[in-house]
Amino acid sequence: MQGVGGGDAGLTLARTKKPALILLDIFLPDRSGWRVLQSLKHDPKTQDIPVVVLSVNEDRGHALSLGAAEHMVKPVDRDTLAAT
């Protein structure tokens, strides 16, 4: 598992590494996680990567409407996250 500090770096890493899953927070230092999610789902290189929004933001409907596979509100139990 590799973490990155912001949306721009995450998008670049997703495009080059094509991970099996992305855990995405909505509150990022350089751009909105909503914009990152939109970018991931509109890019042919990343659109099929499942994205789990893991954030204190509780707007599950918005996350799912933008293409997230799941939405979880922090704090999340490790076993619950693994089961997802």
Side-chain angles (χ1 to χ4, degrees):
M1 182 187 301
Q2 183 173 357
V4 296
D8 291 331
L11 287 169
T12 299
L13 191 62
R15 288 179 185 121
T16 58
K17 298 288 185 178
K18 298 189 176 102
L21 174 75
I22 294 173
L23 297 177
L24 177 64
D25 198 344
I26 296 305
F27 302 106
L28 302 172
D30 58 348
R31 64 167 42 194
S32 164
W34 299 126
R35 287 183 51 212
V36 172
L37 180 55
Q38 287 176 319
S39 294
L40 288 166
K41 293 303 168 182
H42 287 99
D43 185 335
K45 293 180 181 178
T46 59
Q47 66 186 5
D48 294 329
I49 301 170
V51 178
V52 174
V53 172
L54 180 61
S55 182
V56 296
N57 180 288
E58 297 182 6
D59 197 347
R60 177 182 174 81
H62 191 62
L64 297 178
S65 73
L66 292 177
E70 185 58 79
H71 176 274
M72 304 176 82
V73 178
K74 290 180 184 181
V76 175
D77 174 85
R78 180 179 283 206
D79 294 332
T80 302
L81 180 61
T84 299

